Amino acid sequence: MPKETILVVDDEKEIADLVALYLQNEGFRVCKAYDAAGALDLAANEPLDLAVLDVMLPDLDGFQLCQKIRETHPFPIIMLTAKGEGMDKITGLTIGADDYMTKPFNPLELMARVKAQLRRYTRYNEPDKAVDSRDIIDFNGLVINRATHECSLYDQALNLTPIEFDILWMLCENRGQVISAERLFESVWGEKYLDRNNTVMVHIRRLREKMGEPSRN
């Protein structure tokens, strides 16, 4: 069975080559681009399973590139940024990134994050299974199918990333209960929640936008 295809985008050829080498050593097929235009061309013509995007690119920045990819593709996106400010990380998550790492980064940690995102993504893209009522939530016009990773609101499909889907499923499964940001983060991300971690609220804001709800402060 062929391995997944990963898109690596970085204007520094040495970094792109290094990331590609580690991915290839793990058995992945790699497509490389050194600018946003090349990345968008590959996204349109290659069966990609995940993208690793640098923020600093010569044409569009990585955030703009991420947003354009998200218009048509739900596969996971990991952002690489040389900037240490939290705002860059939050911006990446706001426009659709699933994870981020700050340069300089440990290539082995990046490989672990790639595999974690792919496990999450492929879990929702397995061949059709027999429908189990426990995999369906249907109320107030919202239908969520955990087995097929499909979600619709009033018969209009919602294009959710795997993380957005997990958040929505947990909120709906526990509707009527107060779910803290800490519990939500640790359940969905599987990591320890840290104080002032805005990741959960950023994703919830995106969910509200996709569902046509007004943003809340």
Side-chain angles (χ1 to χ4, degrees):
M1 181 177 178
K3 269 282 192 176
E4 294 90 341
T5 299
I6 313 296
L7 171 63
V8 177
V9 186
D10 200 306
D11 64 335
E12 295 185 61
K13 187 176 185 299
E14 296 80 6
I15 294 179
D17 290 346
L18 176 66
V19 173
L21 179 62
Y22 272 86
L23 288 167
Q24 289 164 344
N25 286 342
E26 294 290 336
F28 295 110
R29 177 174 175 262
V30 178
C31 295
K32 289 185 291 184
Y34 307 110
D35 55 28
L40 290 171
D41 182 64
L42 287 169
N45 294 287
E46 294 287 342
L48 302 176
D49 298 286
L50 182 143
V52 179
L53 310 181
D54 184 35
V55 169
M56 303 301 293
L57 297 172
D59 39 9
L60 298 177
D61 66 42
F63 298 136
Q64 293 171 304
L65 174 58
C66 177
Q67 199 164 26
K68 284 186 173 295
I69 290 175
R70 269 288 169 259
E71 291 174 1
T72 52
H73 299 288
F75 56 71
I77 295 175
I78 299 176
M79 304 294 297
L80 300 179
T81 174
K83 300 179 180 179
E85 295 87 351
M87 182 57 66
D88 284 311
K89 299 169 183 177
I90 294 171
T91 300
L93 294 168
T94 300
I95 49 83
D98 296 277
D99 201 355
Y100 58 82
M101 293 190 68
T102 303
K103 294 180 178 179
F105 57 88
N106 183 330
L108 294 178
E109 182 182 352
L110 177 59
M111 296 305 104
R113 295 195 184 202
V114 165
K115 292 176 182 177
Q117 290 296 334
L118 285 172
R119 279 195 300 271
R120 180 192 299 274
Y121 183 61
T122 54
R123 188 170 72 240
Y124 292 127
N125 288 273
E126 296 174 352
D128 291 343
K129 305 172 182 178
V131 175
D132 188 326
S133 60
R134 292 171 298 182
D135 288 327
I136 303 290
I137 291 177
D138 183 350
F139 77 104
N140 290 345
L142 181 67
V143 179
I144 314 174
N145 188 323
R146 185 168 55 179
T148 62
H149 194 220
E150 293 175 328
C151 180
S152 64
L153 181 63
Y154 300 115
D155 295 324
Q156 296 296 312
L158 298 179
N159 186 22
L160 305 182
T161 68
I163 283 180
E164 289 167 352
F165 187 94
D166 279 357
I167 291 173
L168 186 58
W169 178 271
M170 184 172 180
L171 292 174
C172 291
E173 191 174 39
N174 294 277
R175 57 190 182 275
Q177 302 178 35
V178 176
I179 306 296
S180 68
E182 178 179 0
R183 178 184 169 191
L184 195 56
F185 183 87
E186 293 183 354
S187 175
V188 172
W189 275 265
E191 300 176 6
K192 183 66 177 176
Y193 181 82
L194 301 176
D195 289 341
R196 291 182 285 183
N197 188 326
N198 293 307
T199 302
V200 170
M201 297 312 300
V202 166
H203 279 77
I204 288 177
R205 189 181 308 124
R206 281 185 55 78
L207 272 171
R208 288 184 177 133
E209 291 172 357
K210 290 184 176 183
M211 297 174 72
E213 293 186 8
S215 298
R216 302 177 190 173
N217 295 326

